[in-house]
Amino acid sequence: MLTTVKNQQITVHNPVGYPPKVSRKQPASRLSSLDGKTVYLIDSRFDDSVELLKQVQIWFAEKMPGVKTVLKSMASYYGKDDPELWNEIKTQGHAAIIGVGHCSTCAPAVSTHAITLETQYGVPTVAIHTDKFVKVVQSVTRMGGLAQAPLVFVPQPVMGKTEAELRAYVEGNDPYTGKPVMKAIVDALTIGLAASVPGDEPYARTTPRLEEPVTEDELHALFEKNLWTDHLPIVLPTEERVAAMLRGTSRKADEVVGRMQPTPNRGLWEYTVEKVAVNAVMAGAKPEYFPIILALAATGISARGSTSSSAAVMTVVNGPIRNEVNMNCGIGAMGPYNHANATIGRAYSLLSQNLQGGSVPNETFMGSIGSNYTYNGICFAENEERSPWEPLHVQKGFDKSASTVTIFHGNRSTTFCLGLRKDHWREHVKDMLLGTDAITAPVLVLDPITARQFVERGGFDTKAKLIRWLHETAEMPAGRYWDLQLVQNYIYTKATFGESPKKKYLNVPDDTPVRMFEESDINVVVTGGEANGYWQMMGAHHKATVSVDEWR
């Protein structure tokens, strides 16, 4: 334990990862005029984006009739590249307008596609976003090597607005720059952009290993000012404490563990074993926990991902290491009652925040309402000994003797229940399934009492049988299913191009039952201390199950 005296100066490690190398790119040449030219309007296929672009098309028809416009939707969802469309624009068009970026993931994608068109296809392009994402897309264009990429903003929201309201956006002023929206768009395609010049990289390639020595109070203020904390007290990562943490693994301190970013297209930051150790110390973790924390860091999956839906992670530890580090899988397993559970989860959250280059509202985090789960990522161990089924890691292909950690992502929808009633438990479970958001399949988190009830009352003597029944039970009429906004955004766009199992439900009568979740996406975890048969159903994607042993 570090002891200090007032005004004693202390040296600590810097907790931030290493920024990606940025390669400067050059924009496409601009047009002298749009008259007689073909301008493509590219719909990103997110939340009524096409409706705004229709108003842009009408404006051109009325105000600049010499411009031919072609309105096209991307082939799949906004996050996927569309080289076939880009080639069409290059060969048959002269310029492009792409939009609308109005969520934490689609806004970066829209600007990334615009940079692709500019720099790889030679097409002058302007991206339209809503004003909530100014800092987000400015960061994306810097990291994408085209800081001067043109950006035009309209008010938030676009979704659900009338034609008249969207027309007012188009005919109004950009709420960020104050310039008329359509003038800004035309200028972006016809006025030359500044060339990239040496020295305009957004970040230095290096991050300090150590901070300058100052007092303990000054260090706490520094970490808080730089947003390196979760605004709860931290353990200062002194050289002594970080060295002790590093003794929890056989890996070298300078070994690269992985790369992480808050959302696609923001740039992958790199980090070493030592950088992970710094954040583990800050969280209050012990060296014996460090292999689990390294395994989490190595996945590259952020516990502080930037999504406007305010997603969070849930981590489940399996195998012998649960008992070696005294993790809780009994009463209060998902609560703040165990040092290992609490600090491993917090370490994962802090390292995600710092090693990816930040998690700052309005900049690198856009969760609209946020989530209390992001404090420690709901970290717990599975109660393998009291489960009637094989453990989660065995279900995922590992030997029972292996130690693993599993990451689930989402946790935006949660329902809970007490046991299974004799007569109508099937209907009760179906109600819970329909209350799970349709794009993140259910994870059943069961107290052992309820797990045994599923065996006794349902005959589900294997997890596979229970999962098959859940898949068959979670049905919704097609009309209602396809009308869900999340389904429209993420499933319909893929299904229309044959990229989703749900393609078989396209163009069916509205009363046709749709099985909402694929068997492969449903998961079951047993934890808890049998104080009662309470259980939860959480909407979450299985992202990874990885070995802890290789990080010992």
Side-chain angles (χ1 to χ4, degrees):
M1 176 65 68
L2 179 72
T3 58
T4 62
V5 296
K6 188 173 178 61
N7 298 324
Q8 178 182 349
Q9 293 195 328
I10 304 167
T11 299
V12 300
H13 283 262
N14 178 290
V16 179
Y18 301 103
K21 180 178 176 58
V22 175
S23 299
R24 294 187 301 276
K25 300 180 175 71
Q26 298 300 330
S29 299
R30 302 343 252 182
L31 302 170
S32 58
S33 167
L34 295 185
D35 193 46
K37 302 298 193 296
T38 298
V39 177
Y40 272 74
L41 309 179
I42 308 166
D43 165 32
S44 64
R45 300 189 75 181
F46 182 82
D47 277 2
D48 296 339
S49 293
V50 70
E51 302 304 324
L52 183 95
L53 293 179
K54 288 177 182 177
Q55 296 304 316
V56 173
Q57 187 173 44
I58 291 170
W59 186 94
F60 273 111
E62 294 178 353
K63 308 291 186 181
M64 298 181 69
V67 178
K68 178 184 177 182
T69 58
V70 178
L71 178 58
K72 294 284 292 258
S73 294
M74 293 185 64
S76 187
Y77 94 109
Y78 58 76
K80 188 172 181 180
D81 196 26
D82 196 353
E84 185 174 338
L85 178 56
W86 309 155
N87 274 310
E88 178 184 331
I89 296 169
K90 179 180 179 179
T91 58
Q92 300 181 32
H94 300 93
I97 301 166
I98 183 169
V100 176
H102 54 129
C103 82
S104 58
T105 51
C106 68
V110 164
S111 270
T112 299
H113 295 320
I115 292 172
T116 298
L117 279 164
E118 288 267 6
T119 62
Q120 296 183 30
Y121 294 82
V123 177
T125 305
V126 58
I128 303 177
H129 302 279
T130 59
D131 59 332
K132 286 292 182 184
F133 300 94
V134 171
K135 292 182 179 179
V136 172
V137 293
Q138 287 175 342
S139 171
V140 169
T141 57
R142 289 197 307 271
M143 300 301 286
L146 196 65
Q148 70 274 50
L151 303 167
V152 175
F153 299 94
V154 296
Q156 174 86 336
V158 167
M159 180 181 67
K161 289 295 182 180
T162 65
E163 291 182 8
E165 289 171 324
L166 294 176
R167 182 59 184 261
Y169 284 3
V170 169
E171 293 183 340
N173 292 336
D174 180 321
Y176 176 64
T177 65
K179 298 178 181 178
V181 166
M182 290 309 301
K183 184 179 188 307
I185 288 175
V186 173
D187 288 351
L189 300 177
T190 57
I191 297 177
L193 303 179
S196 295
V197 295
D200 66 353
E201 292 87 351
Y203 299 101
R205 180 64 183 132
T206 59
T207 298
R209 180 171 178 265
L210 300 172
E211 292 297 306
E212 293 295 324
V214 291
T215 67
E216 182 175 353
D217 287 346
E218 288 172 323
L219 284 169
H220 281 294
L222 174 69
F223 275 58
E224 183 73 19
K225 177 184 175 183
N226 289 341
L227 303 177
W228 293 341
T229 77
D230 52 11
H231 302 291
L232 294 173
I234 60 164
V235 177
L236 289 173
T238 63
E239 293 178 275
E240 178 185 23
R241 287 170 175 156
V242 172
M245 185 64 66
L246 288 169
R247 288 194 283 274
T249 181
S250 60
R251 300 298 186 99
K252 293 182 179 179
D254 61 355
E255 178 183 345
V256 173
V257 175
R259 295 168 180 82
M260 189 179 293
Q261 58 186 341
T263 193
N265 308 302
R266 294 296 295 276
L268 287 162
W269 291 55
E270 187 175 272
Y271 41 89
T272 61
V273 170
E274 185 176 74
K275 284 289 187 180
V276 177
V278 173
N279 286 273
V281 168
M282 290 168 60
K286 296 180 180 180
E288 52 263 41
Y289 310 163
F290 195 42
I292 302 173
I293 297 166
L294 279 171
L296 289 165
T299 65
I301 299 166
S302 176
R304 290 282 168 80
S306 178
T307 164
S308 50
S309 64
S310 304
V313 297
M314 177 170 67
T315 55
V316 183
V317 178
N318 281 96
I321 202 164
R322 298 169 306 137
N323 298 321
E324 293 170 21
V325 300
N326 297 312
M327 290 192 75
N328 184 13
C329 61
I331 288 178
M334 296 176 72
Y337 303 107
N338 177 273
H339 189 270
N341 293 30
T343 58
I344 291 168
R346 189 187 185 203
Y348 184 24
S349 295
L350 283 174
L351 73 85
S352 296
Q353 173 174 320
N354 292 322
L355 301 184
Q356 70 183 12
S359 185
V360 181
N362 296 310
E363 293 183 16
T364 48
F365 177 76
M366 294 300 295
S368 190
I369 62 175
S371 171
N372 199 56
Y373 289 155
T374 52
Y375 276 108
N376 84 330
I378 327 177
C379 178
F380 61 94
E382 183 165 28
N383 195 338
E384 300 176 18
E385 292 75 16
R386 299 297 293 163
S387 172
W389 304 302
E390 78 273 20
L392 178 65
H393 66 314
V394 174
Q395 181 187 350
K396 300 302 180 185
F398 285 84
D399 189 85
K400 188 174 182 180
S401 63
S403 292
T404 69
V405 63
T406 294
I407 302 172
F408 294 102
H409 182 266
N411 304 297
R412 293 159 292 214
S413 58
T414 305
T415 58
F416 93 110
C417 193
L418 174 57
L420 302 176
R421 295 287 293 172
K422 179 180 178 181
D423 295 326
H424 296 287
W425 65 268
R426 293 173 179 82
E427 292 88 342
H428 297 157
V429 174
K430 180 172 184 176
D431 290 342
M432 295 173 71
L433 289 164
L434 295 183
T436 302
D437 65 280
I439 64 166
T440 44
V443 180
L444 275 63
V445 183
L446 306 176
D447 185 275
I449 292 174
T450 307
R452 289 193 295 272
Q453 281 193 321
F454 271 111
V455 175
E456 294 160 2
R457 293 195 163 159
F460 306 124
D461 56 346
T462 66
K463 276 189 184 179
K465 290 180 181 179
L466 173 57
I467 288 170
R468 167 63 64 87
W469 178 80
L470 293 165
H471 161 69
E472 294 172 346
T473 300
E475 290 186 332
M476 180 183 290
R480 281 172 50 195
Y481 177 80
W482 290 118
D483 190 53
L484 289 166
Q485 187 67 61
L486 289 172
V487 170
Q488 282 288 308
N489 290 348
Y490 296 104
I491 297 178
Y492 178 77
T493 50
K494 295 179 181 179
T496 53
F497 287 85
E499 299 170 349
S500 167
K502 297 298 188 292
K503 63 184 179 181
K504 62 187 175 185
Y505 297 115
L506 292 170
N507 303 314
V508 299
D510 282 355
D511 59 354
T512 303
V514 172
R515 288 185 174 171
M516 298 169 61
F517 309 115
E518 302 304 310
E519 286 183 71
S520 58
D521 296 333
I522 300 170
N523 288 276
V524 178
V525 181
V526 177
T527 198
E530 301 176 84
N532 215 329
Y534 283 106
W535 60 286
Q536 295 182 358
M537 188 180 292
M538 309 190 72
H541 294 289
H542 172 259
K543 299 294 286 188
T545 299
V546 295
S547 169
V548 170
D549 295 322
E550 64 184 68
W551 293 100
R552 291 181 184 271

